[in-house]
Every structure is written in C-alpha cells, then in structure tokens.
Amino acid sequence: MSSSEIPRHSMNRRRFVQLSAITAGGIVAASYNIPASAASTSGENKMANNKTVQAPRFAYVGSRTTRERNARGDGITVYRYEPETGACTLVQTLNDLVNPSFLTFNHPQTHLYCVHGDLSEVSSFAIDAKTGELSKLNTVSTQGKNPVHLSVDPTNNFLAVANYAAGSFALFPIQDDGSLGSSSIPELLPGEAGPHRVEQSGSHPHMIPFDPSGRFLVIPDKGLDGVFVYRVQNNNAKLTATQVSMVKSREGSGPRHIVFAPGGKYAYVVNELDSTVTGFAYEAEQGVLTAQEILPTLPSNFTGNSRAAAIAMAPSGKYLYVSNRGHDSVATFSIEENGGFSIKGHTPSLGRKPRFMNLTPDGSRLLVANEESDNIISFDVDRATGGLTANGQSIKTGSPVCMIFKTT
C-alpha cells in the first residue's frame, strides 16, 4: 500500500459487462471432484440457522482507477442481479470517482458508502430502491491517508473507517439524509511494527468490522501483527473509542481481514504476509480473542510468491474461503462445531491476483474479483460439501477490488 496522496487521473476507460462461458483455452476450475450444487433460487432462502435471507437484486463493484496503481477501473459499477441464473446486467457506471476501493451499505440498504483508496476521503450515496442506481450525497475527509475499509454500526448512527497508511481509524456521524458529518479525532493504533521492512513500517489497520454483537469494533492491523478490539461510546453526540483488548499474531504474519462464525463464538483472521489463517475463540462479553489454531492457505508444495487476501464465511458456518494472490486460487476450509478447521482443497481463481471475493447472501455462489486480469468469476457453491465449481459466468470490469449485494 502506498502512503502518498494520489492525484486524479486520466485513463482509457472501458465500460462493458460480459457474461460468458469460460473458453476452451481457459482454466477449468474443479475444486476437488466435488459436484456443485444447483441450489440458486429466487425470492427467500432458508439458511442453516433458520434465518430467512432475500436473494440479491443488485450488485455494486468498486475498483481501482489511478495510473499510479496501474489500474483500469471505471469507478463504481452497478449491476442488476438475477438470482435464478446469476446473470449481471450493467445499469450504471460512476466514472468520476477515484479508487472507490471498498464499499458498504447501511443496514436498511438505502445508502452506500465508499472509501477512496490512496486519498483521504469517504463518500456517501443514496440508492434508488427501484433501479439500484446511486446518487452522490457528499464526500468528507477521513483525516488519514489511504482508507481501506469501512462499516456502519448496528444503529445506523455512525460509520467507522480504517486509515491504512495513517495507522488510525475515525468515526463519522450519519445524518438523517444518509450523508456523512465530520469525523471524530482519529484514533491511532498503538504498538511495535512488525519485521517486514516494506509492509510493516508502522500501524496499518486493514479492516474495521463490528463483532456480531455490535458492541465492539474489531481491527486486524497488518503493520503491528495484532488484532485490536475497541468499544465505541456516544456521549452527548460525541463519538469516542476505547481499546478493550489486543491479541498478538505471529511476527511478520500481517493480519488483514476477519470473519466471525454464526453465533459469534469463533473468528478467523487471514494473515496476508505469511499466507495463513488463525482461528480464534471469541469472548463476546469482554471482547477478547484467544488463538486456537493456525493453518496455511497455500498447498504444501507451492514455492512461489503469494499473499493471502480475502476471507469469506459460508452462511451455514461450515466452510471458510480464502483467496491467494500469486497462487491465484481460493482455499476452502471446513469448520467443526468446536471452531476447529481443516483444509479441503484449492480452486483456481481463473484470473490473476484475486484481491476480493464475496458470497451471495444465500451462499449459493462465490464471486471472485481478480484485480489484475479485470474479471469477476462466478462459482457455484455446493452448500452440503463446500465445493466450488466455475459456472461459466464472468463480469469483465477493470481492476475490481470489492463487490457487495443489495437484497432489499
């Protein structure tokens, strides 16, 4: 990640979506001879925990856009999503945005927020409920360079943003119309930097989600080799954050992203620099993580350069997916009731550098964003076995780095 400000760019923009079968000359993904489920359905879907989720209606893709990133993205692209077939149809391109690299909704999904990677800005948008199209509301300063992740608190009152290069996070009040107010004073993450001379020059928070209870922010810090937990308080309309715990990771591991298992008793952190996943027990009342197990994300015979990136949890809580940039694959892990996990196999990502991936809310498909090959590949998920099989559909879009689904 670069810590310098990146100016607005001029680039050759290409706006198109391609839903096509993988050609005979491409790689055919078959995870480990496990057939894919054809369980994609429209309307409502019942998950293993008996919750009902709506099938997605729209998909939003964020991309990198600047020459300094060697990027080819168009900004934010909006697609109509067909749950029965998985087809995506382009409905809008917002091409005047710089590096809208990570996206999130408020909880009613009436508004969307994005950080602008390599800059110091976060933007808000209203969503048209019928068309899915975005209308920009405002942009405010994050008071820290290179914001990389953001999340909305359970009450929809404020937004939390992680500033990677600045080693800080900031909290923003959400106004009645969905726009953002000015941030609180950024909170610096304390600690000693890891040993990697380039990637660990100081604190580099890479994600800032809320835990399942909504009481705590959980922040993997790639630069400090640790995972922080903070409690947020709203005192007389003033947002403040207090650290309640921090668990150290292996030296040089570079914690990047975290996901929680359904029920919130276990959490899994992907470590970017040493390509591992750490399984944790989570004590939700106190906000304390306790490491239980660490497993590699790469095959034992792989000797090339690779970095772990994205992590996704199946809605059932039985399977975990991690992307490898360099090996260009998705590692699949099975999860036991006690939180233990084991590797099941690796599936080619059908592109270069899979930076991000996301499951559809019903868990029937996994969409893998290959940043360097400008495609998002769709995989059918066998929800009984966790197996992945490429279903022949892809979205052709420049430098994709995030994809989220709107269901309402």
Side-chain angles (χ1 to χ4, degrees):
M1 297 278 185
S2 169
S3 62
S4 61
E5 287 253 357
I6 303 298
R8 290 185 178 269
H9 66 295
S10 59
M11 61 176 291
N12 179 28
R13 298 188 180 278
R14 295 181 300 169
R15 288 185 265 175
F16 58 95
V17 57
Q18 178 179 337
L19 294 170
S20 60
I22 304 300
T23 64
I27 303 171
V28 177
S31 45
Y32 16 86
N33 297 321
I34 296 176
S37 169
S40 301
T41 59
S42 61
E44 296 184 346
N45 295 275
K46 295 288 186 179
M47 298 193 304
N49 58 5
N50 293 321
K51 291 184 178 180
T52 300
V53 295
Q54 294 287 338
R57 298 175 56 232
F58 298 101
Y60 298 79
V61 175
S63 65
R64 294 205 179 276
T65 62
T66 58
R67 183 178 299 140
E68 289 78 3
R69 285 281 181 169
N70 191 30
R72 300 153 301 281
D74 281 335
I76 296 178
T77 45
V78 183
Y79 301 88
R80 183 175 297 278
Y81 182 85
E82 300 295 339
E84 291 185 352
T85 64
C88 290
T89 303
L90 182 65
V91 297
Q92 186 187 23
T93 300
L94 281 74
N95 56 14
D96 58 347
L97 304 174
V98 177
N99 290 338
S101 52
F102 212 93
L103 317 174
T104 195
F105 300 117
N106 65 344
H107 296 288
Q109 297 187 346
T110 55
H111 293 81
L112 180 144
Y113 302 92
C114 82
V115 291
H116 299 274
D118 295 333
L119 302 183
S120 301
E121 296 176 338
V122 58
S123 295
S124 63
F125 302 83
I127 304 174
D128 187 295
K130 292 183 178 180
T131 67
E133 294 186 4
L134 301 176
S135 299
K136 187 175 178 180
L137 297 177
N138 72 332
T139 296
V140 297
S141 171
T142 64
Q143 299 191 50
K145 291 184 179 179
N146 198 9
V148 291
H149 191 267
L150 70 175
S151 60
V152 174
D153 86 296
T155 66
N156 290 297
N157 286 326
F158 68 90
L159 179 78
V161 175
N163 293 312
Y164 179 92
S168 68
F169 68 92
L171 307 173
F172 301 79
I174 297 176
Q175 312 292 352
D176 290 343
D177 65 351
S179 63
L180 297 171
S182 299
S183 77
S184 62
I185 298 174
E187 183 79 20
L188 296 174
L189 295 166
E192 182 179 350
H196 197 292
R197 294 182 180 180
V198 176
E199 301 287 353
Q200 296 184 311
S201 58
S203 169
H204 293 315
H206 216 303
M207 193 183 194
I208 189 164
F210 284 87
D211 75 347
S213 74
R215 298 175 60 230
F216 299 106
L217 286 170
V218 184
I219 310 172
D221 193 310
K222 177 178 149 184
L224 302 183
D225 286 328
V227 183
F228 292 85
V229 179
Y230 276 78
R231 177 185 288 110
V232 178
Q233 296 160 318
N234 192 348
N235 299 318
N236 297 320
K238 182 180 180 181
L239 294 167
T240 60
T242 303
Q243 182 183 334
V244 299
S245 70
M246 189 270 205
V247 59
K248 288 292 290 183
S249 301
R250 282 180 177 173
E251 186 179 67
S253 60
R256 179 182 172 93
H257 280 198
I258 185 170
V259 293
F260 285 85
K265 293 175 61 177
Y266 304 104
Y268 302 85
V269 172
V270 58
N271 302 303
E272 176 182 337
L273 300 180
D274 69 357
S275 297
T276 61
V277 176
T278 306
F280 292 91
Y282 183 60
E283 204 289 300
E285 286 299 314
Q286 302 299 319
V288 175
L289 292 159
T290 303
Q292 292 188 306
E293 189 174 9
I294 302 174
L295 295 180
T297 68
L298 294 167
S300 59
N301 63 349
F302 179 75
T303 58
N305 294 321
S306 189
R307 298 279 182 89
I311 188 167
M313 171 73 67
S316 67
K318 294 181 179 180
Y319 301 101
L320 187 71
Y321 302 96
V322 176
S323 68
N324 293 302
R325 295 176 295 176
H327 186 248
D328 294 339
S329 66
V330 177
T332 301
F333 297 86
S334 60
I335 300 176
E336 301 172 6
E337 290 186 3
N338 65 359
F341 63 118
S342 58
I343 188 71
K344 287 180 65 68
H346 298 83
T347 305
S349 68
L350 301 183
R352 298 188 307 277
K353 299 297 177 68
R355 182 184 182 89
F356 180 84
M357 60 186 178
N358 199 4
L359 287 154
T360 54
D362 63 359
S364 64
R365 296 184 182 94
L366 180 72
L367 281 295
V368 179
N370 294 299
E371 181 179 8
E372 289 194 0
S373 54
D374 301 334
N375 60 12
I376 301 174
I377 302 297
S378 178
F379 294 85
D380 287 333
V381 178
D382 187 322
R383 285 177 282 187
T385 65
L388 301 176
T389 301
N391 58 32
Q393 291 180 324
S394 68
I395 298 173
K396 186 68 177 176
T397 188
S399 305
V401 293
C402 183
M403 185 177 193
I404 59 176
F405 296 96
K406 176 176 166 59
T407 58
T408 58

